[in-house]
Amino acid sequence: MITTQLREIALEQIEPSGTNPRKDFTSAAAVAYLQNLAGTIRTHGVLQPALVRLQYCVGEKTHAGIVAARRFEDGPQVRFVLVCGECRLRASALAERATLPCIVRELTDDDAREAQTIENLQRRDISPLEEAQGFADMLELRDDAGKPRYTVAALAERIGHAVGYVYKRCELLKLPDTAKAALADGKLTAKVAQLITVLPTPDLRERFTTEILRPEFEEGPLSYSSAMRVRTEKFTVPLAGAPFKLTDAELLPAAGACAACPKMSGNLGEEWENGERGRRKGDKLCLDPTCHRAKLAALLQRQTAAEVAKGKTLLSEAETAAIYPPEFVDGLMAPESRFAEIGHKPEPHLLKKEVVKPPTWSRLIEDAEEKTGAKLPRFLARDQGHVVRELVDVKAAMALIEKAGEPIFRGSDGPRPAADAAWKAEQKAAKERAALARTVALAQLDAVGENVDAGPALRWLAPLLAREVRTPAGALLLCQRHGKDYAGDDGVKAFADLAALAKKLAAGGEPPAVARFVVEAALADALGAPVPPTDDTAELCAAYGLDPSVIAKAAKAKAKAAATPPKPAKLTLAEIETKVRELRRAKTSDAEIRTALKLGKGALAKLLKKIDGEEAAATATNDPKILKQWVMARAGGMSDKEIARSYKVSVADVAGALGTGDKPARPPKKAKATKAKTVRQKKGGAK
């Protein structure tokens, strides 16, 4: 066996390696590095020898094979293959050196690859992808017996990194090409890229990469926290509380049980980020939403198979989402849905006033079907909590029930629209009455607050406060206004203080300042109540010598004035023109301008013609070419009116741009002929 040798070898005897992990020798940065290294070699020589192997070692997988292929040769005809030191070889050629100091060893192919990879991993400028490829190459190496030279743990110990670090770096090789390019260009960090590698299928990784690099609602690429949020929302599904058993392998045989699925975060081991903490907190996250949806569909088919066999209709996923919106809480239907759950009672707004305790839809429909012999279709849908609900069409159910002789619904014994209109009008009037009563009560409390120093009358205030203020926010605000700080309190302490004050007030002997405080407490109470106690406030006014009816009348008049919007003042022609110009600049259509300003089509057209003419004239007079054409036209005998007509502008604009009025440079030809004829006529007459 040839031992390790250190010798000077001619450059032409050394062949570059085809397995060198470093490929970039032509970029600007690489060329600059080689030039600097060549300068150092000219001055100091090669300080660290390169590593080469003999030509007969190439292609051998074992050391026994090398021994069999060994040839004892010497001289310039011997060929060496470079293992490590290609930069030194290239820089020596640039420095015009004839030889390179080298260490000669007998190395198998895997020995050479191991040495090359380890040297490459020690570079300072190595990229995450190069490092990942280096780790993968090391894990592929085999010994003479054909067994792997390294496990992940052994490799981590060999290079001085944690096991999780090696594992995550190797996972970067699963990235889509777009993600690898972004990582190489610096648009994507290794930390964000590792979020992509966790997803189990190439399709999911490609979609997630697109979400990171080209997000829909913000500028990309996304930060780590934003990418984590997107992955959680769109590419993972919590399995805690799933409607199916995680150990059920028969639900979707092609996917198997979730408990043993490699797409569940808890089964990924070191692949799942954050190590042990990630496995504890994320052990029930499904990383394949498509598979999860398929399992939910299979579960729904299993749950409804028997009911569908009885003739009930299973609604589609889109129809179900319209009935039970995902953003609502479990079991809550959309208000505009045409369906109702058969086990619920009809909504109050569907029933007549006299129907107080109606039966369920199920009871009503069953009775109607028995009387009429008809059969009402049933539908099946799954709510947000994956509970299967039985539904009926509300209008069809109401028609069947009325046909069976049960006129319990609004409008069933008369024109329904009129009944609904009356009911709505009654509700509106009730709201208006309550709002007016509230306004009156608050006005009366305000009046008492302004006159509270006029007399004690505290016996009327005590019952108001003794009921306690109904809103924590009102009590808290009131106490804060009087210099008491309840930072972080929810109003409970403020309630306690007000209750203590009420007891003290009931005992009597409090000064007017306390009375004012109590009135404000009553006001806060009224602000938090749907309808303040008007009887109490009226008595309170009377106790202070105020006329509650006068206050009520003034409050009602003020409320009526506030409810009646003032008529808009008429715009002058100049204001209308200004508005039209503003709307035109905002690219508002002519129809919208007519509607907004209540203009007729003809009036608007006339106004727009004027505006467009002025704008055209302004544009024309700012254009030197147009001005030159106007000057030449006037010099050619055209009047300002003719110029204005030709260029579709006003005469005033032409005159203003060219100076004073019509002064053609020469008179028209027709005028010259007329003048000559007149002279001749005068001469003839003189003779």
Side-chain angles (χ1 to χ4, degrees):
M1 179 177 180
I2 295 179
T3 57
T4 300
Q5 301 178 3
L6 176 62
R7 55 191 290 187
E8 289 281 341
I9 301 176
L11 298 185
E12 59 267 17
Q13 291 181 259
I14 303 174
E15 299 177 2
S17 172
T19 58
N20 188 355
R22 187 166 188 165
K23 306 296 183 185
D24 179 23
F25 295 100
T26 58
S27 67
V31 171
Y33 172 74
L34 290 175
Q35 292 288 354
N36 290 335
L37 184 58
T40 303
I41 290 174
R42 289 191 193 97
T43 305
H44 303 287
V46 179
L47 301 179
Q48 182 178 359
L51 177 64
V52 297
R53 58 178 176 155
L54 292 159
Q55 178 68 44
Y56 60 78
C57 297
V58 177
E60 299 298 334
K61 300 295 184 184
T62 63
H63 290 91
I66 290 177
V67 172
R70 182 182 296 157
R71 297 188 299 275
F72 293 96
E73 300 174 336
D74 201 1
Q77 76 279 2
V78 179
R79 310 300 295 175
F80 298 90
V81 178
L82 188 69
V83 177
C84 299
E86 187 160 353
C87 287
R88 278 161 278 171
L89 177 64
R90 291 173 180 263
S92 295
L94 291 174
E96 299 179 349
R97 284 178 59 92
T99 62
L100 178 70
C102 299
I103 296 173
V104 183
R105 289 181 182 172
E106 287 185 334
L107 300 173
T108 64
D109 288 351
D110 280 357
D111 290 338
R113 286 179 61 193
E114 180 178 6
Q116 289 172 334
T117 303
I118 290 176
E119 186 192 50
N120 190 57
L121 291 174
Q122 291 172 346
R123 283 168 43 206
R124 291 185 179 181
D125 61 341
I126 187 169
S127 69
L129 282 175
E130 288 178 321
E131 192 174 32
Q133 188 61 57
F135 291 161
D137 291 343
M138 294 284 284
L139 293 172
E140 290 177 359
L141 298 176
R142 297 290 184 270
D143 58 16
D144 288 354
K147 296 180 180 179
R149 292 191 179 192
Y150 293 101
T151 62
V152 174
L155 176 59
E157 184 178 358
R158 175 77 169 81
I159 62 177
H161 280 297
V163 173
Y165 180 87
V166 175
Y167 216 110
K168 290 172 187 176
R169 277 292 190 263
C170 291
E171 289 294 295
L172 292 179
L173 298 176
K174 299 193 314 188
L175 289 171
D177 292 340
T178 50
K180 287 180 179 178
L183 183 59
D185 293 342
K187 296 179 181 178
L188 202 66
T189 65
K191 192 174 181 181
V192 174
Q194 285 164 1
L195 294 178
I196 302 173
T197 63
V198 176
L199 298 183
T201 65
D203 176 60
L204 289 172
R205 292 194 288 269
E206 186 70 48
R207 283 168 47 202
F208 188 27
T209 300
T210 303
E211 291 275 357
I212 291 174
L213 297 179
R214 294 185 295 278
E216 186 175 0
F217 299 111
E218 56 185 300
E219 187 177 353
L222 296 177
S223 64
Y224 177 82
S225 58
S226 297
M228 175 71 83
R229 173 181 52 77
V230 170
R231 194 187 70 175
T232 301
E233 292 176 355
K234 296 187 177 182
F235 296 93
T236 65
V237 181
L239 291 177
F244 51 83
K245 292 183 179 180
L246 302 185
T247 56
D248 189 351
E250 301 299 325
L251 181 60
L252 196 65
C258 293
C261 181
K263 298 176 184 178
M264 189 171 77
S265 59
N267 297 332
L268 290 179
E270 291 294 340
E271 295 179 56
W272 186 245
E273 69 275 13
N274 300 327
E276 293 294 330
R277 184 172 63 86
R279 288 202 295 275
R280 282 199 305 272
K281 291 190 176 182
D283 58 349
K284 289 187 178 180
L285 285 178
C286 174
L287 304 179
D288 190 352
T290 304
C291 178
H292 186 266
R293 285 195 296 270
K295 286 201 171 187
L296 291 179
L299 176 66
L300 182 61
Q301 294 293 334
R302 177 191 287 180
Q303 291 173 327
T304 59
E307 298 298 321
V308 170
K310 295 178 183 178
K312 297 177 183 178
T313 302
L314 179 61
L315 297 176
S316 68
E317 187 174 348
E319 291 172 320
T320 300
I323 299 169
Y324 295 104
E327 62 271 16
F328 285 13
V329 296
D330 292 351
L332 184 61
M333 299 179 71
E336 66 276 9
S337 175
R338 66 185 181 92
F339 294 98
E341 292 186 23
I342 198 167
H344 290 183
K345 295 181 179 181
E347 294 292 334
H349 71 274
L350 297 175
L351 302 168
K352 294 180 179 179
K353 292 181 182 179
E354 56 269 20
V355 181
V356 180
K357 294 182 179 180
T360 61
W361 283 109
S362 177
R363 174 76 177 275
L364 291 168
I365 292 169
E366 288 175 2
D367 291 345
E369 286 177 338
E370 186 177 348
K371 291 178 182 177
T372 61
K375 188 68 176 176
L376 188 70
R378 266 66 160 189
F379 302 90
L380 300 173
R382 182 176 55 196
D383 67 9
Q384 300 92 335
H386 305 288
V387 177
V388 176
R389 309 277 185 173
E390 185 176 348
L391 310 175
V392 290
D393 187 292
V394 172
K395 289 185 177 179
M398 290 171 62
L400 180 64
I401 294 167
E402 290 173 2
K403 185 178 178 182
E406 292 290 342
I408 63 172
F409 299 105
R410 281 182 172 274
S412 59
D413 52 357
R416 183 170 178 173
D420 283 349
W423 180 76
K424 290 180 181 178
E426 182 182 338
Q427 294 295 316
K428 182 179 179 181
K431 288 182 180 179
E432 290 176 352
R433 288 194 298 271
L436 187 59
R438 175 184 173 84
T439 301
V440 169
L442 293 180
Q444 291 171 342
L445 280 173
D446 282 336
V448 171
E450 293 173 0
N451 294 274
V452 73
D453 290 334
L458 298 182
R459 56 192 182 85
W460 296 106
L461 297 176
L464 282 174
L465 191 60
R467 288 199 309 272
E468 294 187 358
V469 180
R470 280 187 281 271
T471 57
L476 193 60
L477 177 64
L478 181 62
C479 289
Q480 287 173 345
R481 282 178 57 192
H482 284 265
K484 295 189 177 182
D485 185 16
Y486 297 106
D489 191 76
D490 58 0
V492 174
K493 190 175 180 182
F495 270 133
D497 283 0
L498 289 177
L501 181 61
K503 292 179 181 177
K504 193 174 182 182
L505 185 64
E510 288 298 325
V514 176
R516 181 182 295 280
F517 181 67
V518 176
V519 170
E520 291 182 0
L523 183 59
D525 182 23
L527 288 171
V531 180
T534 52
D535 292 341
D536 287 345
T537 55
E539 286 188 61
L540 187 59
C541 286
Y544 274 86
L546 303 174
D547 190 344
S549 61
V550 173
I551 299 171
K553 186 176 180 180
K556 290 176 181 178
K558 187 176 179 181
K560 185 177 180 181
T564 306
K567 292 183 179 180
K570 283 190 176 183
L571 299 176
T572 64
L573 290 177
E575 290 173 336
I576 291 175
E577 183 177 335
T578 303
K579 288 284 186 183
V580 171
R581 290 179 187 274
E582 292 175 356
L583 293 172
R584 285 294 293 275
R585 283 196 293 271
K587 298 182 179 180
T588 309
S589 66
D590 292 355
E592 290 174 329
I593 293 175
R594 289 202 309 271
T595 303
L597 300 179
K598 297 181 180 179
L599 291 176
K601 187 180 291 186
L604 179 61
K606 185 176 180 180
L607 189 55
L608 291 179
K609 184 177 180 181
K610 176 188 175 185
I611 293 172
D612 292 341
E614 291 176 0
E615 291 179 354
T619 304
T621 53
N622 289 327
D623 189 339
K625 293 182 179 179
I626 297 295
L627 283 173
K628 186 176 180 181
Q629 292 172 11
W630 288 6
V631 172
M632 293 177 64
R634 180 186 274 187
M638 287 181 66
S639 66
D640 287 358
K641 185 179 293 185
E642 290 171 331
I643 295 173
R645 189 183 305 113
S646 299
Y647 287 88
K648 297 181 180 179
V649 297
S650 68
V651 179
D653 292 323
V654 177
L658 300 182
T660 56
D662 291 335
K663 290 185 178 180
R666 57 187 174 83
K669 291 181 179 180
K670 186 175 180 182
K672 282 185 179 181
T674 305
K675 185 175 182 181
K677 185 177 178 181
T678 305
V679 170
R680 285 197 298 271
Q681 287 175 352
K682 286 182 178 180
K683 287 182 179 180
K687 291 178 179 178

